[in-house]
Amino acid sequence: GEDVEQSLFLSVREGDSSVINCTYTDSSSTYLYWYKQEPGAGLQLLTYIFSNMDMKQDQRLTVLLNKKDKHLSLRIADTQTGDSAIYFCADLDSSYKLIFGSGTRLLVRP
Amino acid sequence: DTGVSQDPRHKITKRGQNVTFRCDPISEHNRLYWYRQTLGQGPEFLTYFQNEAQLEKSRLLSDRFSAERPKGSFSTLEIQRTEQGDSAMYLCASSFPISSGEPTDTQYFGPGTRLTVL
């Protein structure tokens, strides 16, 4: 089946940029999503990118997609302590279900 | 629009008992999904409905699991004869395939039901 992989942990200083990376295997992917999960909570949709786009910017968030390498990244500018959470990359497969990575835990140090 | 709601938020049960969870999707969303998330992992797909029809079930959904969406609105997920391995967060999401300026099938998640089987 399709697979999505992410690095497990990222630590940054408050005010710096964070870059979270993701790779996927689905050749027929149409949309890719980023979700944020805080402890004990559900998933909050952050942003998405269509597979024929290279980049999408949404306020402090920038998504970059390299379709050839099947690599997706999420950049958070001016990272704040409130951004500390787990970030999930997800691929919408051809039968409308989301395939998630294991999540990247972002820790923002004051 | 109040978002996706789930009830209960937490459930503790003894092994062998039956449990039932409820999900209320965003109104007018006609697709509803169930996912399961274990500690340290991303959510895994269990099943989904379009209106009242259950269109796909994962192999993770053993015979002890059953989901319904009788009137195409709320959904229930029942686990019979619970096992300790069923301990997880059960997440519900909803979407609607007709575009309203968003990608089709952008899924919005509820807060989840955390199940602990003792």
Side-chain angles (χ1 to χ4, degrees), chain A residues 39-91:
Chain A
L43 276 70
Q44 174 192 349
L45 175 68
L46 288 178
T47 189
Y48 59 87
I49 189 166
F50 186 43
S51 59
N52 69 353
M53 298 170 65
D54 297 323
M55 185 182 85
K56 180 181 179 183
Q57 188 147 2
D58 186 356
Q59 299 182 338
R60 291 192 298 125
L61 305 178
T62 303
V63 179
L64 295 178
L65 175 60
N66 181 328
K67 195 172 181 181
K68 174 177 170 287
D69 293 339
K70 296 189 179 68
H71 182 268
L72 182 74
S73 67
L74 174 70
R75 178 177 179 269
I76 306 172
D78 187 25
T79 315
Q80 302 298 307
T81 54
D83 294 323
S84 292
I86 301 176
Y87 290 79
F88 290 97
C89 167
D91 165 38

